[in-house]
Amino acid sequence: MSPITREDIGEIAVLSCDYPPVNALSHAVRKGYIDHLDAIRSDDAIKAVVVRCEGRTFHAGADITEFGKPPQEPHLPDVVMALETFPKPLVAAIHGTALGGGLEIALGCHYRIADPSAKVGLPEVHLGILPGAGGTQRLPRLAGVENALDAILSGRHVKMKEAAAWGVVDRLAGDDLKADAVAYAKEVVASGPRPTGDIELDGAKYDEAFFANFRKSIARKTRGFFAPEQCIRCVEAAVSLPLVEGLKKERQYFTECMQNPEAAAMRHLFFAERQVARVPGITKETKRRDIKKVGIIGAGTMGGGIAMNFANVGIPVTVLELNQEALDRGLGVCRKNWERSSRLTADDVAERVKYLSGTTNYEDLADCDLVIEAVFEKMEIKEQVFKKLDEVLKPGAIMASNTSYLDVDAIAAYTSRPSDVLGLHFFSPANVMKLLEIVRGKETADDVLATCLDMAKKIGKVGVVAGVCHGFIGNRMLSGYGREANLNVMKGAMPQDVDKAIFDFGMPMGPLTMADMAGLDIGYFNRQSMDRNSFDTRATDWLDRLVEGDRKGLKVGKGIYDYAEGSRAPVPSPEVEAIILEESAKLGLERTSISAEEIVERSIYALINEGAHILDEGIALRASDIDVVYVYGYGFPRYRGGPMHYADAVGLDKVYARLQEFASIDPDNWKISPLLKRLAEEGSSFAAFDQSR
Ligand code: TC6
């Protein structure tokens, strides 16, 4: 049965699509449209048509599950063209989210009416493609070139007020969208079809300089991506060519996007992000606890940032500090952060501040449903905090630690109720970064985990479940990544060579610039408390020497790099280069030139190898979860799909062969994951491994 049904209301045919969950434009839906249009074309009793959807939303786009498979006719651009050239007026009735191909269907219709709460958008760029069913040609004609570029390149969901101002929607409906759409269709019978493609754009206004400026304005955000440039080229075609010619260009650029590895990587992330919430033992039926009030221990950068997340969504949050001065300072920073946000009005800020309070007294947290500790990373301090929480919190309250490395099971053992304890590892700045590692201790109760998974979604985070180990998923993987970067410096590269190679690979910054930003003294003090046999001192002795020479990083104006006063831009330091040469001579290392390719392989393959260990040990549930962690928490380039997807794209046999070479030189540093070895030998992939579970 076709997912599209027809109901005739007088002389108006109403086509309703019912294809849960989001009315994606699958083959059956596309065919349904063509079949119904063919029938209505020759039905003299019908004078106009309403196009609408049942369920929670208008079409949310092309069916992403069909991408990468052989395309089946009718293709979406042909369906949209069939709508646009239909001889009777068509009215799209939009509710929910008309996204991608969904908006393109609406643009193919001659008139549009929408529920005021609906949103529209062309999010294809987030899938590494472009709106290839005419969106790049029709949206500029209807909304104007500037607005269309904004929508297509940002992929954002545009609210109805703005969409109506752009001219994308003609009319806002009252309480009954379907009835209003039918009434509108009756009205436009007399006006007849109004094809969007008939609108002409003023090509002269949008010259080369206009597009050059636009490219410049988004260059930082789109560095390394393929699809954004293709999108811009399409809009250039829209201003200079008639619709049919522009559509041909759009098809060409769309096909190029589909063939680029970026599309597969971004599609992988789309599904990976939705997989993370699927956790063994947790179902819809699993009980949830109510989170009506939250407490945060610590008003530092982390504690304050975490608190903001809850106030943002209207959950009262109380921050605890040891003294009033630190508390006032911390709460003041939260307020300032909100005030600085260009997206918030003064009223929005006031609303958020209302939900934020402070205390210096643990008893004030007694009625909290969830308390998150964000204090200094020392087990003795965690012990004090959790013992105190255990004493004061009501039964059933969830106790979480924001620790980034420490043993959550040991922390839970400080309380009399370890099943109520888990790790909630936020990433800095906690009010901005989307990743939340949810660390499941060996005794964490299912309902505690389920509650925190839901809570992550509510506060706009992507929650990824991790098991307990030193550094969980993300930070544990970093150690090999950093070690190789540091070792490359001893073996022949200069810091700027290492950083440039990694930056060019797509990371937001190189590991050595990152180390300077974090402060070299943090790692230094950490190492002082560690057994020198437990890590490769060749990678770190030169850094220790920098710290001992008061080069602690950006905060003191000198570290691995020099920094001009007031500047955050790293400048290669002759003093450090001399130290590097001396230190590698001391190690007896013969300095050789190391290619950018090898620098990348050493650091990124170290991530992958550790990721495979983590997967094998069950610390991460899926390889795709690791990808989500790295993309959302560490800025791994989205267009590479995360480290594990990248390994699949390179080919696990190639990665494994390279790991063997590295292991033959530095066996202690490169313990190859047995899982990676097995998958490589079987000609398999991490994706296949995920699917097999
Ligand atoms: C395009 O249109 C290209 C056109 C040119 C062609 C030439 N297809 O996100 P949720 C599934 S590209 C297939 O959890 P929400 C999703 O996987 C497309 N499946 O729900 C999930 O399945 P599960 C441009 C899809 O309420 C379920 O629906 N459009 C699609 O939080 C629920 O999804 C987009 O990029 C799809 N298009 O958010 C829009 N969309 O339950 C993508 C969703 O098995 N979609 N599913 O895990 C969204 O942004 C959101 O789904 C939402 C609803 C805002 C529509």
Side-chain angles (χ1 to χ4, degrees):
M1 210 179 82
S2 170
I4 299 190
T5 51
R6 169 177 163 186
E7 176 193 4
D8 292 348
I9 303 178
E11 57 188 11
I12 308 300
V14 178
L15 297 184
S16 299
C17 178
D18 190 3
Y19 190 67
V22 294
N23 290 308
L25 289 148
S26 65
H27 174 247
V29 175
R30 301 194 303 271
K31 185 167 179 322
Y33 270 122
I34 294 295
D35 292 347
H36 280 294
L37 290 178
D38 284 346
I40 295 171
R41 191 175 285 113
S42 55
D43 185 340
D44 291 340
I46 298 299
K47 303 290 182 225
V49 184
V50 168
V51 170
R52 63 181 289 278
C53 290
E54 294 288 348
R56 66 207 237 210
T57 180
F58 194 74
H59 303 291
D63 189 337
I64 303 170
T65 60
E66 289 181 358
F67 289 2
K69 299 179 187 157
Q72 274 182 290
E73 287 183 350
H75 304 304
L76 191 54
D78 301 333
V79 175
V80 177
M81 194 47 107
L83 293 167
E84 170 147 323
T85 54
F86 199 65
K88 303 175 189 190
L90 295 161
V91 175
I94 301 170
H95 77 290
T97 39
L99 300 175
L103 178 57
E104 291 172 305
I105 287 280
L107 297 178
C109 293
H110 308 126
Y111 302 88
R112 284 154 294 275
I113 181 167
D115 185 281
S117 67
K119 290 179 190 162
V120 297
L122 293 175
E124 284 86 342
V125 74
H126 297 312
L127 292 164
I129 56 172
L130 54 83
T136 66
Q137 305 303 299
R138 293 190 178 91
L139 191 64
R141 284 176 162 82
L142 263 187
V145 173
E146 289 87 347
N147 294 332
L149 279 172
D150 164 18
I152 295 169
L153 273 298
S154 72
R156 71 188 172 94
H157 296 184
V158 180
K159 286 189 180 152
M160 213 22 76
K161 206 167 147 200
E162 198 177 0
W166 286 2
V168 170
V169 163
D170 305 291
R171 211 174 260 203
L172 296 183
D175 290 342
D176 189 341
L177 174 63
K178 183 176 164 189
D180 288 356
V182 170
Y184 189 25
K186 282 184 191 156
E187 265 180 58
V188 297
V189 168
S191 326
R194 190 185 59 167
T196 309
D198 286 357
I199 302 170
E200 275 185 30
L201 285 164
D202 176 6
K205 192 172 154 202
Y206 301 105
D207 55 7
E208 237 174 73
F210 169 83
F211 283 102
N213 276 338
F214 181 75
R215 283 188 169 90
K216 223 165 117 189
S217 72
I218 58 162
R220 256 190 70 198
K221 271 197 187 148
T222 56
R223 178 177 71 94
F225 285 84
F226 182 75
E229 172 57 25
Q230 306 296 92
C231 291
I232 299 173
R233 287 182 187 171
C234 287
V235 178
E236 281 178 320
V239 300
S240 57
L241 297 172
L243 180 74
V244 174
E245 294 306 312
L247 288 174
K248 277 189 202 152
K249 287 272 178 205
E250 184 190 81
R251 185 96 308 243
Q252 177 198 331
Y253 296 135
F254 178 81
T255 309
E256 286 172 18
C257 283
M258 274 297 199
Q259 287 164 352
N260 191 284
E262 175 177 317
M266 307 274 276
R267 205 158 58 237
H268 162 74
L269 287 173
F270 177 87
F271 290 112
E273 240 180 78
R274 283 158 179 81
Q275 277 291 326
V276 290
R278 300 206 166 106
V279 177
I282 307 297
T283 64
K284 273 196 194 124
E285 284 69 44
T286 309
K287 246 185 358 172
R288 266 70 172 172
R289 300 186 190 181
D290 267 353
I291 304 289
K292 292 207 182 97
K293 186 176 171 198
V294 173
I296 309 288
I297 312 293
T301 314
M302 214 53 206
I306 296 172
M308 288 174 75
N309 289 300
F310 293 97
N312 281 342
V313 296
I315 298 178
V317 54
T318 304
V319 182
L320 180 138
E321 251 304 342
L322 293 179
N323 65 68
Q324 193 64 40
E325 200 192 331
L327 181 62
D328 291 344
R329 199 172 41 238
L331 297 183
V333 170
C334 294
R335 204 169 306 122
K336 277 218 182 72
N337 284 340
W338 278 317
E339 282 163 1
R340 264 204 298 263
S341 164
S342 57
R343 284 182 298 121
L344 299 181
T345 62
D347 285 350
D348 294 336
V349 174
E351 180 69 14
R352 282 162 169 76
V353 168
K354 229 172 57 190
Y355 289 105
L356 183 67
S357 60
T359 182
T360 52
N361 187 350
Y362 268 90
E363 269 71 29
D364 289 340
L365 301 182
D367 60 342
C368 283
D369 303 296
L370 164 70
V371 175
I372 305 171
E373 158 281 307
V375 300
F376 198 67
E377 282 284 80
K378 260 204 157 14
M379 210 48 163
E380 305 86 83
I381 303 181
K382 307 278 184 197
E383 179 178 356
Q384 284 169 17
V385 169
F386 276 81
K387 283 187 166 158
K388 188 72 197 167
L389 288 176
D390 192 22
E391 223 175 276
V392 300
L393 292 187
K394 67 180 181 185
I398 299 174
M399 289 178 260
S401 171
N402 178 53
T403 180
S404 34
Y405 283 98
L406 299 176
D407 182 343
V408 171
D409 290 329
I411 293 175
Y414 295 132
T415 72
S416 62
R417 31 181 159 165
S419 61
D420 291 342
V421 178
L422 83 173
L424 289 177
H425 179 209
F426 289 79
F427 287 69
S428 186
N431 53 319
V432 176
M433 296 293 283
K434 280 198 66 143
L435 179 65
L436 177 63
E437 275 184 329
I438 303 180
V439 186
R440 184 182 206 168
K442 65 175 188 290
E443 299 206 40
T444 304
D446 285 351
D447 65 335
V448 168
L449 190 69
T451 303
C452 290
L453 277 161
D454 287 3
M455 181 271 300
K457 204 166 178 189
K458 179 147 195 204
I459 61 172
K461 304 288 178 204
V462 182
V464 179
V465 173
V468 175
C469 68
H470 186 74
F472 318 122
I473 298 175
N475 283 346
R476 172 167 158 186
M477 284 165 68
L478 268 189
S479 64
Y481 172 79
R483 178 200 68 224
E484 288 306 309
N486 298 341
L487 266 180
N488 279 332
V489 171
M490 284 295 96
K491 290 181 176 177
M494 279 298 162
Q496 57 274 23
D497 305 325
V498 173
D499 280 347
K500 181 173 185 318
I502 301 287
F503 178 78
D504 288 348
F505 174 78
M507 297 299 282
M509 68 178 75
L512 301 166
T513 307
M514 194 169 88
D516 259 0
M517 265 183 77
L520 300 180
D521 49 337
I522 296 178
Y524 177 83
F525 287 120
N526 222 345
R527 286 190 290 279
Q528 299 302 304
S529 60
M530 286 166 74
D531 173 1
R532 270 179 69 82
N533 292 319
S534 67
F535 58 95
D536 188 344
T537 53
R538 297 174 308 161
T540 52
D541 279 353
W542 67 279
L543 291 170
D544 290 353
R545 196 170 147 192
L546 297 189
V547 175
E548 282 157 10
D550 208 25
R551 301 193 66 105
K552 293 188 191 128
L554 177 62
K555 61 188 166 191
V556 296
K558 55 183 187 166
I560 296 171
Y561 296 100
D562 287 335
Y563 299 86
E565 205 171 324
S567 164
R568 299 168 72 84
V571 177
S573 157
E575 182 191 331
V576 172
E577 293 194 359
I579 292 175
I580 287 169
L581 296 182
E582 275 176 38
E583 289 295 318
S584 44
K586 261 199 232 162
L587 293 171
L589 290 170
E590 194 186 320
R591 292 182 68 80
T592 54
S593 117
I594 306 176
S595 69
E597 190 187 2
E598 180 167 346
I599 289 170
V600 167
E601 283 173 344
R602 284 185 168 276
S603 278
I604 302 297
Y605 289 9
L607 277 184
I608 295 165
N609 189 42
E610 197 60 34
H613 279 299
I614 282 172
L615 195 56
D616 213 4
E617 291 167 25
I619 297 295
L621 292 170
R622 286 165 285 256
S624 63
D625 284 12
I626 297 176
D627 287 334
V628 171
V629 166
Y630 260 76
V631 166
Y632 282 108
Y634 298 83
F636 196 93
R638 288 187 73 84
Y639 55 84
R640 297 195 192 275
M644 311 311 270
H645 177 86
Y646 176 68
D648 280 354
V650 171
L652 290 191
D653 52 342
K654 293 199 184 74
V655 174
Y656 177 54
R658 206 69 178 112
L659 288 174
Q660 283 178 303
E661 285 173 40
F662 297 151
S664 70
I665 302 165
D666 274 338
D668 289 345
N669 284 342
W670 294 92
K671 304 269 187 256
I672 300 177
S673 146
L675 172 67
L676 192 152
K677 175 176 185 287
R678 173 168 72 74
L679 294 176
E681 285 171 350
E682 288 170 357
S684 189
S685 62
F686 289 123
F689 175 77
D690 278 359
Q691 266 165 21
S692 70
R693 308 178 89 200

